Amino acid sequence: MDSTMSPHAPPGRPPHTRWNPRLVGQIAALLLANVTADSVIVMPLFVLPQMLDHFGTTQAAWLGSTAMLAGAMWAPLFGKSADIHGKRRMLTVALLVACGGAAVCLIAPNLLIFVLGRTLQGAAVAAVFLTGSLVRDLCTPRLAMTAVGAVTTCAGVVGIASTSNVESLVAQFGFQVVFAASALFATVAVICIRAFVPESEVRTPGRVDVVGTLQLGGGVVAVLGYISLGPDLGWLSAGTLALLAAGVVALARWYLVSNRNPEPVIDIRNLGRPMVLTLLVVVLATGAGQSMDQLLSLIAQVSSDQGLGYGLDAQGSLALLFGLPAVGIMAGGLLSGWLAARTDPAVALAAGVVVGTVAAFGMFLGASSLPVAICSGFFLNLGMGSLLTSGFNMAAVLTAPHRQGVTASMVAVTGAIGSVGVSFVGAAVLAGTRVAVDGTTVNSATGVHSYIAISAGLFVIAAVLAFLLLAQRRAERPQRTD
């Protein structure tokens, strides 16, 4: 096959074979969509303590991770719909839904309404994989691997600017300023995408399994709700056990029905060993890495002078703690795309997991040392940037062009479930090990270090699976063609 021809390119529109001003403009427009996703997932972590105080709750996982959890429900709908109705169209719909969710969060009078808004904001998760899929339609495969890295991780540039100003803005206007910024990003992104990015002409006839999506999403929410509420209500209480049972039944029902459905919203049949290994690496490593952001947000403003065995005393230094690592995720994405284009996405995936594993173990020291925490955070995000890009690239090379949306959504769903699941488990560990100090209940050093140990252990398992995937890809290399 001619290396300049892309099976992902829309008919009649020559794919980009090298970087040029038109491609840069399209990447910039798509990048704004991922800036919106970044503002939905990451920016609220900067103000997590303020949100907990405002709503009078200790459920940090619900406030910080609801959008990612909702993303696990939104992603299959948008992925399947994108293959049927067009990727650009569904990307703009997702951004508009996320914009509406930000507006709800901005004016939410209570926790219930706020969580509803965060659920709507979760639609922005679809932007991450839809932008990557659009890039693969616009470019030749070799160029697309690097371009996917740019569009999915360079949102960190805006993250650096936002973290340098967020403390003063929050002090002046309250935590709601984060959601006003998110709504603004979504609006600008929709305008630019409609103006500069062409619609993909790759289509797959079919329909969207809405019932199956609700069963999958409802089951995941119920199980994670059991994990979150268990420490407060009791693991064996009637209410929590009923919640767990409802989740298990919904997931079992979804699995049985999806096996008989000719067009399931997520097709888990005949995935193949490489795809299964890829998804396992994504779910474990993404969960381990992104859950660390939640931990950092909870210990960042705790002073080491309190003698708790942890504390970063980062008041006034949040730009360093959260902004500098944003450079890491951008660099990881670009390096991963460059490496994948010259070797194999499995190589980049394994490299990212190894870097994340080393950084996770570094957090044992970083929990009580701001310089070490900044360094570990940088390399965690370097690994996460590589994981994000190489996960999508790996799945893309294993999938036919007309199913790119569904497959990319599958990667997004597993990543979201991993992120939320580990965050909820970590929050449960912190809640179960809290101690009273001077009449105030605070997180204990045991809970913080147990949280880190869980994440580091998951990274180790993901690293083993990543090298198994790499070994299989190398064994299959003589049979593969470009």
Side-chain angles (χ1 to χ4, degrees), residues 6 8-10 13-16 23 26-27 29-31 33-34 82-83 85-93 95 126-140 143-145 147-148 151-152 189 192-194 196-203 392 396 401 404-405 408:
S6 171
H8 303 281
R13 184 180 297 120
H16 295 285
L23 176 59
Q26 292 168 345
I27 293 294
L30 293 173
L31 183 60
N34 286 327
D83 284 338
H85 302 294
K87 299 181 180 70
R88 189 188 70 166
R89 178 180 299 172
M90 299 316 301
L91 175 59
T92 56
V93 171
L95 291 171
V128 179
F129 68 85
L130 288 178
T131 54
S133 295
L134 274 168
V135 167
R136 297 192 70 84
D137 285 344
L138 295 171
C139 305
T140 56
L143 177 61
M145 290 190 180
V148 167
V151 80
T152 55
C192 291
I193 289 170
R194 296 291 298 181
F196 300 110
V197 180
E199 177 62 277
S200 169
E201 297 178 18
V202 178
R203 294 286 194 279
F392 285 120
Q404 289 290 318

Short mmCIF file of all heavy atoms in Angstrom, two decimals, residues 6 8-10 13-16 23 26-27 29-31 33-34 82-83 85-93 95 126-140 143-145 147-148 151-152 189 192-194 196-203 392 396 401 404-405 408:
data_model
loop_
_atom_site.label_atom_id
_atom_site.label_comp_id
_atom_site.label_asym_id
_atom_site.label_seq_id
_atom_site.Cartn_x
_atom_site.Cartn_y
_atom_site.Cartn_z
N SER A 6 -4.20 6.84 3.42
CA SER A 6 -4.68 6.48 4.76
C SER A 6 -6.05 5.86 4.67
O SER A 6 -6.96 6.45 4.11
CB SER A 6 -4.75 7.72 5.67
OG SER A 6 -5.39 7.40 6.87
N HIS A 8 -7.98 5.77 6.94
CA HIS A 8 -8.83 6.54 7.84
C HIS A 8 -9.27 7.86 7.22
O HIS A 8 -10.07 8.58 7.78
CB HIS A 8 -8.06 6.85 9.14
CG HIS A 8 -7.58 5.63 9.84
ND1 HIS A 8 -8.39 4.84 10.61
CD2 HIS A 8 -6.36 5.03 9.88
CE1 HIS A 8 -7.70 3.83 11.10
NE2 HIS A 8 -6.47 3.92 10.68
N ALA A 9 -8.70 8.23 6.10
CA ALA A 9 -9.00 9.53 5.51
C ALA A 9 -10.36 9.52 4.82
O ALA A 9 -10.72 8.55 4.16
CB ALA A 9 -7.92 9.91 4.51
N PRO A 10 -11.14 10.61 4.93
CA PRO A 10 -12.41 10.68 4.24
C PRO A 10 -12.21 10.65 2.73
O PRO A 10 -11.26 11.23 2.20
CB PRO A 10 -12.95 12.07 4.68
CG PRO A 10 -12.22 12.38 5.94
CD PRO A 10 -10.87 11.76 5.80
N ARG A 13 -10.80 13.62 0.09
CA ARG A 13 -10.03 14.65 0.78
C ARG A 13 -8.66 14.08 1.10
O ARG A 13 -8.54 13.22 1.98
CB ARG A 13 -10.73 15.09 2.06
CG ARG A 13 -10.00 16.24 2.78
CD ARG A 13 -10.72 16.66 4.05
NE ARG A 13 -12.04 17.19 3.76
CZ ARG A 13 -13.16 16.67 4.24
NH1 ARG A 13 -13.13 15.60 5.01
NH2 ARG A 13 -14.34 17.19 3.94
N PRO A 14 -7.63 14.49 0.39
CA PRO A 14 -6.30 13.90 0.62
C PRO A 14 -5.87 14.10 2.07
O PRO A 14 -6.01 15.20 2.62
CB PRO A 14 -5.39 14.69 -0.34
CG PRO A 14 -6.32 15.26 -1.37
CD PRO A 14 -7.61 15.50 -0.66
N PRO A 15 -5.33 13.06 2.70
CA PRO A 15 -4.88 13.20 4.09
C PRO A 15 -3.59 14.00 4.16
O PRO A 15 -2.81 14.05 3.20
CB PRO A 15 -4.66 11.75 4.52
CG PRO A 15 -4.31 11.04 3.25
CD PRO A 15 -5.13 11.69 2.18
N HIS A 16 -3.38 14.63 5.29
CA HIS A 16 -2.12 15.34 5.51
C HIS A 16 -0.99 14.32 5.58
O HIS A 16 -1.07 13.32 6.29
CB HIS A 16 -2.17 16.12 6.82
CG HIS A 16 -3.18 17.22 6.84
ND1 HIS A 16 -2.99 18.42 6.18
CD2 HIS A 16 -4.39 17.31 7.46
CE1 HIS A 16 -4.03 19.20 6.39
NE2 HIS A 16 -4.90 18.55 7.15
N LEU A 23 -3.06 22.00 8.90
CA LEU A 23 -3.14 20.97 9.92
C LEU A 23 -2.92 21.56 11.31
O LEU A 23 -3.61 21.18 12.27
CB LEU A 23 -2.10 19.87 9.64
CG LEU A 23 -2.00 18.76 10.70
CD1 LEU A 23 -3.34 18.04 10.85
CD2 LEU A 23 -0.90 17.77 10.32
N GLN A 26 -6.11 23.08 12.43
CA GLN A 26 -7.10 22.07 12.81
C GLN A 26 -6.75 21.44 14.16
O GLN A 26 -7.63 21.22 15.00
CB GLN A 26 -7.17 21.00 11.72
CG GLN A 26 -7.77 21.51 10.42
CD GLN A 26 -7.57 20.55 9.26
OE1 GLN A 26 -6.76 19.63 9.33
NE2 GLN A 26 -8.30 20.78 8.17
N ILE A 27 -5.46 21.18 14.37
CA ILE A 27 -5.03 20.63 15.66
C ILE A 27 -5.32 21.61 16.78
O ILE A 27 -5.79 21.23 17.87
CB ILE A 27 -3.52 20.29 15.63
CG1 ILE A 27 -3.26 19.13 14.66
CG2 ILE A 27 -3.01 19.95 17.03
CD1 ILE A 27 -3.84 17.82 15.09
N ALA A 29 -7.68 23.88 16.91
CA ALA A 29 -9.12 23.90 17.18
C ALA A 29 -9.54 22.68 17.99
O ALA A 29 -10.31 22.79 18.96
CB ALA A 29 -9.90 23.95 15.86
N LEU A 30 -9.03 21.50 17.62
CA LEU A 30 -9.36 20.29 18.36
C LEU A 30 -8.75 20.33 19.77
O LEU A 30 -9.33 19.78 20.72
CB LEU A 30 -8.85 19.06 17.61
CG LEU A 30 -9.54 18.76 16.28
CD1 LEU A 30 -8.84 17.64 15.54
CD2 LEU A 30 -11.01 18.41 16.51
N LEU A 31 -7.61 20.97 19.89
CA LEU A 31 -6.96 21.08 21.19
C LEU A 31 -7.83 21.82 22.19
O LEU A 31 -7.86 21.51 23.39
CB LEU A 31 -5.61 21.79 21.04
CG LEU A 31 -4.74 21.93 22.29
CD1 LEU A 31 -4.40 20.56 22.85
CD2 LEU A 31 -3.47 22.69 21.94
N ALA A 33 -10.96 21.60 22.45
CA ALA A 33 -11.92 20.64 23.01
C ALA A 33 -11.31 19.90 24.19
O ALA A 33 -11.97 19.66 25.21
CB ALA A 33 -12.36 19.66 21.94
N ASN A 34 -10.03 19.55 24.08
CA ASN A 34 -9.38 18.84 25.17
C ASN A 34 -9.01 19.78 26.32
O ASN A 34 -8.86 19.34 27.46
CB ASN A 34 -8.15 18.11 24.65
CG ASN A 34 -8.52 16.89 23.85
OD1 ASN A 34 -9.52 16.23 24.13
ND2 ASN A 34 -7.76 16.59 22.81
N ALA A 82 -20.81 8.67 16.91
CA ALA A 82 -19.83 9.30 16.03
C ALA A 82 -19.59 8.46 14.78
O ALA A 82 -19.45 8.99 13.67
CB ALA A 82 -18.52 9.53 16.77
N ASP A 83 -19.53 7.14 14.95
CA ASP A 83 -19.35 6.27 13.79
C ASP A 83 -20.56 6.32 12.86
O ASP A 83 -20.42 6.15 11.65
CB ASP A 83 -19.13 4.82 14.24
CG ASP A 83 -17.73 4.59 14.78
OD1 ASP A 83 -16.82 5.37 14.43
OD2 ASP A 83 -17.54 3.62 15.55
N HIS A 85 -23.13 9.00 12.85
CA HIS A 85 -23.57 10.35 12.44
C HIS A 85 -22.44 11.32 12.15
O HIS A 85 -22.70 12.41 11.62
CB HIS A 85 -24.46 10.95 13.53
CG HIS A 85 -25.66 10.12 13.87
ND1 HIS A 85 -26.68 9.89 12.97
CD2 HIS A 85 -25.99 9.42 15.00
CE1 HIS A 85 -27.60 9.11 13.53
NE2 HIS A 85 -27.20 8.81 14.76
N GLY A 86 -21.21 10.98 12.47
CA GLY A 86 -20.10 11.90 12.20
C GLY A 86 -19.38 12.32 13.47
O GLY A 86 -20.03 12.67 14.47
N LYS A 87 -18.06 12.30 13.42
CA LYS A 87 -17.27 12.58 14.62
C LYS A 87 -17.33 14.05 15.03
O LYS A 87 -17.44 14.38 16.20
CB LYS A 87 -15.82 12.14 14.40
CG LYS A 87 -15.67 10.65 14.12
CD LYS A 87 -14.20 10.28 13.94
CE LYS A 87 -14.03 8.79 13.67
NZ LYS A 87 -14.52 8.40 12.33
N ARG A 88 -17.23 14.95 14.04
CA ARG A 88 -17.25 16.38 14.40
C ARG A 88 -18.60 16.77 14.99
O ARG A 88 -18.67 17.54 15.96
CB ARG A 88 -16.96 17.24 13.16
CG ARG A 88 -16.76 18.71 13.51
CD ARG A 88 -16.67 19.61 12.29
NE ARG A 88 -17.95 19.73 11.60
CZ ARG A 88 -18.21 20.65 10.68
NH1 ARG A 88 -17.25 21.50 10.31
NH2 ARG A 88 -19.39 20.71 10.08
N ARG A 89 -19.67 16.25 14.43
CA ARG A 89 -21.00 16.58 14.93
C ARG A 89 -21.16 16.15 16.38
O ARG A 89 -21.63 16.91 17.23
CB ARG A 89 -22.06 15.91 14.06
CG ARG A 89 -23.50 16.15 14.52
CD ARG A 89 -24.48 15.45 13.62
NE ARG A 89 -24.38 15.95 12.25
CZ ARG A 89 -25.01 15.40 11.22
NH1 ARG A 89 -25.79 14.35 11.40
NH2 ARG A 89 -24.87 15.91 10.01
N MET A 90 -20.75 14.93 16.69
CA MET A 90 -20.92 14.44 18.06
C MET A 90 -19.94 15.12 19.03
O MET A 90 -20.24 15.28 20.21
CB MET A 90 -20.74 12.92 18.10
CG MET A 90 -21.75 12.15 17.25
SD MET A 90 -23.46 12.76 17.42
CE MET A 90 -23.75 12.56 19.17
N LEU A 91 -18.79 15.55 18.51
CA LEU A 91 -17.86 16.29 19.37
C LEU A 91 -18.47 17.62 19.80
O LEU A 91 -18.39 17.99 20.98
CB LEU A 91 -16.55 16.54 18.61
CG LEU A 91 -15.50 17.40 19.32
CD1 LEU A 91 -15.10 16.80 20.65
CD2 LEU A 91 -14.28 17.59 18.42
N THR A 92 -19.10 18.33 18.88
CA THR A 92 -19.72 19.60 19.24
C THR A 92 -20.91 19.39 20.19
O THR A 92 -21.11 20.19 21.12
CB THR A 92 -20.18 20.37 17.99
OG1 THR A 92 -21.06 19.53 17.21
CG2 THR A 92 -19.00 20.76 17.13
N VAL A 93 -21.67 18.32 19.99
CA VAL A 93 -22.77 18.02 20.92
C VAL A 93 -22.23 17.76 22.32
O VAL A 93 -22.77 18.26 23.32
CB VAL A 93 -23.59 16.82 20.41
CG1 VAL A 93 -24.59 16.37 21.47
CG2 VAL A 93 -24.32 17.17 19.12
N LEU A 95 -19.49 18.84 23.67
CA LEU A 95 -19.00 20.08 24.27
C LEU A 95 -20.15 20.97 24.74
O LEU A 95 -20.06 21.62 25.80
CB LEU A 95 -18.14 20.84 23.27
CG LEU A 95 -16.79 20.19 22.93
CD1 LEU A 95 -16.13 20.92 21.77
CD2 LEU A 95 -15.87 20.17 24.15
N ALA A 126 -15.76 12.62 26.24
CA ALA A 126 -15.83 12.16 24.84
C ALA A 126 -14.91 12.98 23.94
O ALA A 126 -14.47 12.49 22.90
CB ALA A 126 -17.26 12.25 24.34
N ALA A 127 -14.60 14.22 24.35
CA ALA A 127 -13.75 15.06 23.50
C ALA A 127 -12.38 14.45 23.31
O ALA A 127 -11.78 14.57 22.24
CB ALA A 127 -13.62 16.46 24.12
N VAL A 128 -11.87 13.77 24.33
CA VAL A 128 -10.51 13.24 24.28
C VAL A 128 -10.39 12.21 23.16
O VAL A 128 -9.46 12.26 22.34
CB VAL A 128 -10.10 12.64 25.63
CG1 VAL A 128 -8.69 12.06 25.55
CG2 VAL A 128 -10.18 13.69 26.73
N PHE A 129 -11.32 11.25 23.10
CA PHE A 129 -11.17 10.21 22.08
C PHE A 129 -11.73 10.64 20.73
O PHE A 129 -11.26 10.18 19.69
CB PHE A 129 -11.79 8.88 22.54
CG PHE A 129 -13.28 8.88 22.68
CD1 PHE A 129 -14.10 8.63 21.59
CD2 PHE A 129 -13.88 9.07 23.91
CE1 PHE A 129 -15.48 8.59 21.71
CE2 PHE A 129 -15.26 9.02 24.05
CZ PHE A 129 -16.06 8.79 22.95
N LEU A 130 -12.73 11.53 20.70
CA LEU A 130 -13.25 11.98 19.42
C LEU A 130 -12.25 12.86 18.68
O LEU A 130 -12.13 12.79 17.46
CB LEU A 130 -14.57 12.73 19.61
CG LEU A 130 -15.77 11.87 20.00
CD1 LEU A 130 -17.01 12.73 20.21
CD2 LEU A 130 -16.06 10.81 18.93
N THR A 131 -11.51 13.68 19.41
CA THR A 131 -10.47 14.49 18.75
C THR A 131 -9.38 13.59 18.18
O THR A 131 -8.89 13.81 17.07
CB THR A 131 -9.85 15.49 19.73
OG1 THR A 131 -9.38 14.81 20.91
CG2 THR A 131 -10.86 16.55 20.13
N GLY A 132 -9.00 12.56 18.93
CA GLY A 132 -8.00 11.62 18.42
C GLY A 132 -8.48 10.90 17.18
O GLY A 132 -7.72 10.71 16.22
N SER A 133 -9.75 10.50 17.17
CA SER A 133 -10.31 9.81 16.00
C SER A 133 -10.37 10.74 14.80
O SER A 133 -10.12 10.33 13.66
CB SER A 133 -11.70 9.27 16.33
OG SER A 133 -11.65 8.28 17.32
N LEU A 134 -10.71 12.00 15.01
CA LEU A 134 -10.75 12.96 13.92
C LEU A 134 -9.35 13.18 13.32
O LEU A 134 -9.20 13.29 12.11
CB LEU A 134 -11.31 14.30 14.41
CG LEU A 134 -12.84 14.43 14.39
CD1 LEU A 134 -13.28 15.66 15.17
CD2 LEU A 134 -13.35 14.50 12.96
N VAL A 135 -8.35 13.22 14.19
CA VAL A 135 -6.98 13.38 13.70
C VAL A 135 -6.59 12.21 12.80
O VAL A 135 -5.95 12.38 11.76
CB VAL A 135 -6.00 13.51 14.88
CG1 VAL A 135 -4.56 13.35 14.42
CG2 VAL A 135 -6.17 14.86 15.56
N ARG A 136 -7.00 11.01 13.16
CA ARG A 136 -6.66 9.83 12.34
C ARG A 136 -7.39 9.87 10.99
O ARG A 136 -6.93 9.26 10.03
CB ARG A 136 -6.99 8.55 13.09
CG ARG A 136 -6.18 8.38 14.37
CD ARG A 136 -6.32 6.98 14.93
NE ARG A 136 -5.66 6.01 14.08
CZ ARG A 136 -4.37 5.72 14.14
NH1 ARG A 136 -3.59 6.34 15.00
NH2 ARG A 136 -3.84 4.81 13.33
N ASP A 137 -8.50 10.56 10.92
CA ASP A 137 -9.17 10.75 9.64
C ASP A 137 -8.48 11.81 8.79
O ASP A 137 -8.58 11.80 7.56
CB ASP A 137 -10.63 11.17 9.86
CG ASP A 137 -11.50 10.01 10.31
OD1 ASP A 137 -11.06 8.86 10.15
OD2 ASP A 137 -12.60 10.26 10.82
N LEU A 138 -7.79 12.75 9.43
CA LEU A 138 -7.19 13.87 8.72
C LEU A 138 -5.77 13.60 8.24
O LEU A 138 -5.28 14.29 7.35
CB LEU A 138 -7.16 15.12 9.63
CG LEU A 138 -8.52 15.70 10.04
CD1 LEU A 138 -8.32 16.77 11.10
CD2 LEU A 138 -9.24 16.27 8.82
N CYS A 139 -5.09 12.60 8.85
CA CYS A 139 -3.66 12.40 8.58
C CYS A 139 -3.38 10.97 8.11
O CYS A 139 -4.18 10.05 8.32
CB CYS A 139 -2.85 12.66 9.86
SG CYS A 139 -3.10 14.27 10.60
N THR A 140 -2.20 10.79 7.52
CA THR A 140 -1.71 9.45 7.25
C THR A 140 -1.36 8.78 8.58
O THR A 140 -1.10 9.47 9.57
CB THR A 140 -0.47 9.50 6.36
OG1 THR A 140 0.52 10.33 6.98
CG2 THR A 140 -0.80 10.04 4.98
N LEU A 143 1.93 10.00 10.51
CA LEU A 143 1.79 11.36 11.03
C LEU A 143 0.75 11.42 12.13
O LEU A 143 0.88 12.18 13.10
CB LEU A 143 1.42 12.31 9.89
CG LEU A 143 1.17 13.77 10.26
CD1 LEU A 143 2.42 14.39 10.88
CD2 LEU A 143 0.73 14.57 9.03
N ALA A 144 -0.30 10.61 12.01
CA ALA A 144 -1.40 10.65 12.98
C ALA A 144 -0.93 10.29 14.38
O ALA A 144 -1.43 10.83 15.37
CB ALA A 144 -2.51 9.70 12.55
N MET A 145 0.04 9.38 14.52
CA MET A 145 0.48 8.97 15.85
C MET A 145 1.06 10.14 16.63
O MET A 145 0.79 10.32 17.81
CB MET A 145 1.49 7.83 15.74
CG MET A 145 0.88 6.52 15.28
SD MET A 145 2.00 5.13 15.41
CE MET A 145 0.95 3.81 14.80
N ALA A 147 0.47 13.37 15.82
CA ALA A 147 -0.59 14.37 15.92
C ALA A 147 -1.57 14.04 17.03
O ALA A 147 -2.06 14.93 17.72
CB ALA A 147 -1.32 14.50 14.58
N VAL A 148 -1.87 12.76 17.22
CA VAL A 148 -2.74 12.35 18.33
C VAL A 148 -2.11 12.74 19.66
O VAL A 148 -2.79 13.22 20.59
CB VAL A 148 -3.02 10.83 18.28
CG1 VAL A 148 -3.66 10.35 19.57
CG2 VAL A 148 -3.94 10.50 17.11
N VAL A 151 -2.68 16.54 20.12
CA VAL A 151 -4.05 17.00 20.36
C VAL A 151 -4.61 16.49 21.69
O VAL A 151 -5.47 17.14 22.30
CB VAL A 151 -4.97 16.58 19.19
CG1 VAL A 151 -5.40 15.13 19.30
CG2 VAL A 151 -6.20 17.47 19.13
N THR A 152 -4.13 15.34 22.17
CA THR A 152 -4.68 14.79 23.41
C THR A 152 -3.97 15.25 24.67
O THR A 152 -4.53 15.15 25.76
CB THR A 152 -4.66 13.25 23.38
OG1 THR A 152 -3.32 12.81 23.12
CG2 THR A 152 -5.59 12.71 22.31
N ALA A 189 -14.40 26.45 21.97
CA ALA A 189 -14.02 25.24 21.25
C ALA A 189 -15.04 24.89 20.17
O ALA A 189 -14.67 24.54 19.03
CB ALA A 189 -13.87 24.08 22.23
N CYS A 192 -14.64 27.27 17.14
CA CYS A 192 -13.43 27.02 16.34
C CYS A 192 -13.51 25.70 15.58
O CYS A 192 -13.06 25.61 14.42
CB CYS A 192 -12.20 27.04 17.25
SG CYS A 192 -11.82 28.67 17.93
N ILE A 193 -14.06 24.68 16.19
CA ILE A 193 -14.17 23.38 15.52
C ILE A 193 -15.11 23.47 14.33
O ILE A 193 -14.82 22.94 13.24
CB ILE A 193 -14.62 22.30 16.51
CG1 ILE A 193 -13.49 22.00 17.50
CG2 ILE A 193 -15.04 21.02 15.78
CD1 ILE A 193 -13.90 21.15 18.66
N ARG A 194 -16.23 24.14 14.51
CA ARG A 194 -17.16 24.30 13.40
C ARG A 194 -16.54 25.12 12.26
O ARG A 194 -16.88 24.92 11.09
CB ARG A 194 -18.44 25.00 13.88
CG ARG A 194 -19.23 24.21 14.92
CD ARG A 194 -19.88 22.98 14.35
NE ARG A 194 -20.85 23.28 13.32
CZ ARG A 194 -21.56 22.37 12.68
NH1 ARG A 194 -21.40 21.08 12.95
NH2 ARG A 194 -22.44 22.73 11.75
N PHE A 196 -13.09 25.40 11.50
CA PHE A 196 -11.82 24.96 10.90
C PHE A 196 -11.71 23.46 10.65
O PHE A 196 -10.89 23.04 9.84
CB PHE A 196 -10.65 25.39 11.78
CG PHE A 196 -10.54 26.88 11.97
CD1 PHE A 196 -10.81 27.46 13.19
CD2 PHE A 196 -10.19 27.70 10.91
CE1 PHE A 196 -10.72 28.82 13.37
CE2 PHE A 196 -10.09 29.07 11.08
CZ PHE A 196 -10.36 29.64 12.32
N VAL A 197 -12.48 22.64 11.33
CA VAL A 197 -12.31 21.19 11.22
C VAL A 197 -13.39 20.59 10.33
O VAL A 197 -14.59 20.76 10.61
CB VAL A 197 -12.36 20.52 12.61
CG1 VAL A 197 -12.17 19.01 12.49
CG2 VAL A 197 -11.28 21.11 13.52
N PRO A 198 -13.02 19.90 9.25
CA PRO A 198 -14.03 19.28 8.38
C PRO A 198 -14.65 18.05 9.03
O PRO A 198 -14.02 17.40 9.87
CB PRO A 198 -13.23 18.90 7.14
CG PRO A 198 -11.84 18.67 7.65
CD PRO A 198 -11.65 19.66 8.76
N GLU A 199 -15.86 17.75 8.63
CA GLU A 199 -16.53 16.56 9.14
C GLU A 199 -15.95 15.31 8.48
O GLU A 199 -15.63 15.32 7.29
CB GLU A 199 -18.04 16.64 8.88
CG GLU A 199 -18.83 15.42 9.30
CD GLU A 199 -18.75 15.15 10.80
OE1 GLU A 199 -17.76 14.52 11.24
OE2 GLU A 199 -19.69 15.54 11.52
N SER A 200 -15.81 14.26 9.26
CA SER A 200 -15.36 12.98 8.71
C SER A 200 -16.48 12.37 7.87
O SER A 200 -17.66 12.43 8.24
CB SER A 200 -14.99 12.02 9.85
OG SER A 200 -14.81 10.72 9.36
N GLU A 201 -16.10 11.80 6.74
CA GLU A 201 -17.07 11.15 5.88
C GLU A 201 -17.11 9.64 6.07
O GLU A 201 -17.85 8.94 5.38
CB GLU A 201 -16.76 11.49 4.41
CG GLU A 201 -16.89 12.97 4.10
CD GLU A 201 -16.54 13.28 2.66
OE1 GLU A 201 -16.53 12.34 1.85
OE2 GLU A 201 -16.28 14.46 2.34
N VAL A 202 -16.30 9.14 7.01
CA VAL A 202 -16.33 7.71 7.32
C VAL A 202 -17.56 7.42 8.16
O VAL A 202 -17.74 8.02 9.23
CB VAL A 202 -15.05 7.28 8.07
CG1 VAL A 202 -15.10 5.80 8.43
CG2 VAL A 202 -13.82 7.58 7.23
N ARG A 203 -18.42 6.54 7.71
CA ARG A 203 -19.68 6.26 8.40
C ARG A 203 -19.87 4.75 8.54
O ARG A 203 -19.40 3.95 7.72
CB ARG A 203 -20.87 6.83 7.63
CG ARG A 203 -20.92 8.33 7.56
CD ARG A 203 -21.32 8.95 8.89
NE ARG A 203 -21.67 10.35 8.70
CZ ARG A 203 -20.79 11.33 8.64
NH1 ARG A 203 -19.50 11.06 8.74
NH2 ARG A 203 -21.18 12.59 8.47
N PHE A 392 -4.65 5.12 22.89
CA PHE A 392 -5.49 5.37 21.73
C PHE A 392 -4.80 4.89 20.45
O PHE A 392 -5.44 4.32 19.56
CB PHE A 392 -5.84 6.85 21.62
CG PHE A 392 -6.88 7.29 22.60
CD1 PHE A 392 -6.61 8.29 23.53
CD2 PHE A 392 -8.13 6.72 22.61
CE1 PHE A 392 -7.57 8.69 24.44
CE2 PHE A 392 -9.11 7.12 23.52
CZ PHE A 392 -8.82 8.10 24.44
N ALA A 396 -6.13 1.96 17.99
CA ALA A 396 -6.45 2.34 16.61
C ALA A 396 -5.82 1.40 15.60
O ALA A 396 -6.44 1.06 14.59
CB ALA A 396 -5.99 3.77 16.35
N PRO A 401 -11.11 1.06 10.18
CA PRO A 401 -11.41 2.49 10.16
C PRO A 401 -12.85 2.83 10.55
O PRO A 401 -13.09 3.82 11.24
CB PRO A 401 -11.13 2.89 8.70
CG PRO A 401 -10.14 1.89 8.23
CD PRO A 401 -10.49 0.60 8.92
N GLN A 404 -13.55 3.12 14.48
CA GLN A 404 -12.62 3.88 15.31
C GLN A 404 -13.32 4.55 16.50
O GLN A 404 -12.79 4.60 17.61
CB GLN A 404 -11.90 4.94 14.47
CG GLN A 404 -10.90 4.37 13.49
CD GLN A 404 -9.67 3.80 14.17
OE1 GLN A 404 -9.14 4.39 15.10
NE2 GLN A 404 -9.22 2.65 13.71
N GLY A 405 -14.51 5.09 16.27
CA GLY A 405 -15.22 5.78 17.34
C GLY A 405 -15.57 4.85 18.48
O GLY A 405 -15.36 5.16 19.66
N ALA A 408 -12.28 3.70 20.28
CA ALA A 408 -11.72 4.78 21.09
C ALA A 408 -12.56 5.01 22.34
O ALA A 408 -12.03 5.29 23.42
CB ALA A 408 -11.61 6.05 20.26
#
